[in-house]
Amino acid sequence: VWLLCFLDRRKRRLPADAPPISFLIPCYNDGETIAATIESILAIRYAGPHEILVIDDGSTDRSTEILGRFADREQIVLVRNSANLGKSASLNKLAARTRHERILFLDADTLLHLAALDDMLSRMVSDPRMAAVSCPYQPSNRGFLPRMQSVEYSMLAMVQGAHNLTSALGMWGGCIMVRRTVFEDAGGFTLNAITEDLDLAPDPLPDGLDS
């Protein structure tokens, strides 16, 4: 397993060269984390054409107020649902408004790092068959439950590393990059799925495309 992970990391891929990208973030009562997530994208200072779309899914905490602080940023688009629609419906609604072919879905408590973004983009650029790619991550909180979550993530990374070369696997929900056209062909996120990220990958994809 670890040998396959090592070989995958050593595989040479074309540099991403900052292609156009849309960052999409769903927010429902994420007032404690949403600002840090947006700031992590801004801190990268992405050189290519990009947009940051955030949807407030009828939050009842301070999320709306906090998001208002970013309203004057040119590259940030804020959308608010008058009622809570759910994560899948909100992301599908937001995806329909994007301008770029590559979409990166980020949870409102995920901090994006340049190395992770570069790796995902290089995989998409190097392989035209790549329909979607996600990035492993670790919880930033401390304590027993976050530690158990970290163990779970490590086990997922090991299993996915073993099958990465031959199989289409479930995405890591907090960080998923897709080709917009393929995402639309798959029908977007399923509205009645408990884990919309895991459900997305097994959906039928056009011939010759992988995730």
Side-chain angles (χ1 to χ4, degrees):
V1 171
W2 296 116
L3 176 60
L4 291 175
C5 292
F6 174 77
L7 293 175
D8 179 69
R9 289 181 177 273
R10 294 284 295 177
K11 183 178 180 180
R12 290 189 175 184
R13 296 182 172 90
L14 298 174
D17 198 27
I21 185 171
S22 298
F23 300 93
L24 272 59
I25 309 171
C27 176
Y28 176 66
N29 290 346
D30 292 302
E32 294 185 0
T33 59
I34 185 61
T37 296
I38 297 174
E39 291 290 356
S40 72
I41 300 174
L42 296 175
I44 290 176
R45 299 183 182 278
Y46 190 68
H50 66 283
E51 57 184 353
I52 304 172
L53 286 76
V54 186
I55 188 163
D56 181 356
D57 191 20
S59 296
T60 57
D61 66 349
R62 296 181 59 243
S63 295
T64 304
E65 174 190 344
I66 293 171
L67 288 173
R69 303 172 187 171
F70 297 93
D72 60 345
R73 300 291 187 98
E74 182 178 353
Q75 71 271 48
I76 297 179
V77 177
L78 302 178
V79 179
R80 176 170 172 79
N81 293 334
S82 57
N84 180 257
L85 301 181
K87 183 179 179 182
S88 293
S90 294
L91 286 176
N92 289 343
K93 176 180 177 179
L94 213 56
R97 300 185 55 162
T98 57
R99 296 180 297 163
H100 304 309
E101 171 64 8
R102 293 173 183 84
I103 299 175
L104 179 58
F105 297 103
L106 284 176
D107 277 357
D109 59 353
T110 299
L111 301 181
L112 183 64
H113 296 278
L114 179 60
L117 179 61
D118 282 346
D119 181 66
M120 288 186 286
L121 283 172
S122 66
R123 292 171 186 270
M124 295 283 276
V125 171
S126 296
D127 189 351
R129 302 170 302 166
M130 186 69 64
V133 62
S134 56
C135 176
Y137 45 84
Q138 294 293 329
S140 58
N141 296 330
R142 296 293 181 265
F144 177 76
L145 290 179
R147 186 174 294 275
M148 292 299 98
Q149 191 177 31
S150 179
V151 172
E152 178 189 10
Y153 288 165
S154 297
M155 293 176 64
L156 283 172
M158 181 176 67
V159 172
Q160 292 204 5
H163 297 281
N164 188 45
L165 300 179
T166 60
S167 301
L169 300 171
M171 303 288 100
W172 291 65
C175 185
I176 303 175
M177 183 178 293
V178 302
R179 297 187 191 275
R180 177 181 175 177
T181 50
V182 179
F183 180 75
E184 292 174 346
D185 289 343
F189 290 115
T190 305
L191 300 183
N192 58 356
I194 297 176
T195 52
E196 77 291 333
D197 48 330
L198 293 175
D199 181 71
L200 179 63
D203 280 346
L205 294 175
D207 292 340
L209 289 176
D210 304 312
S211 63

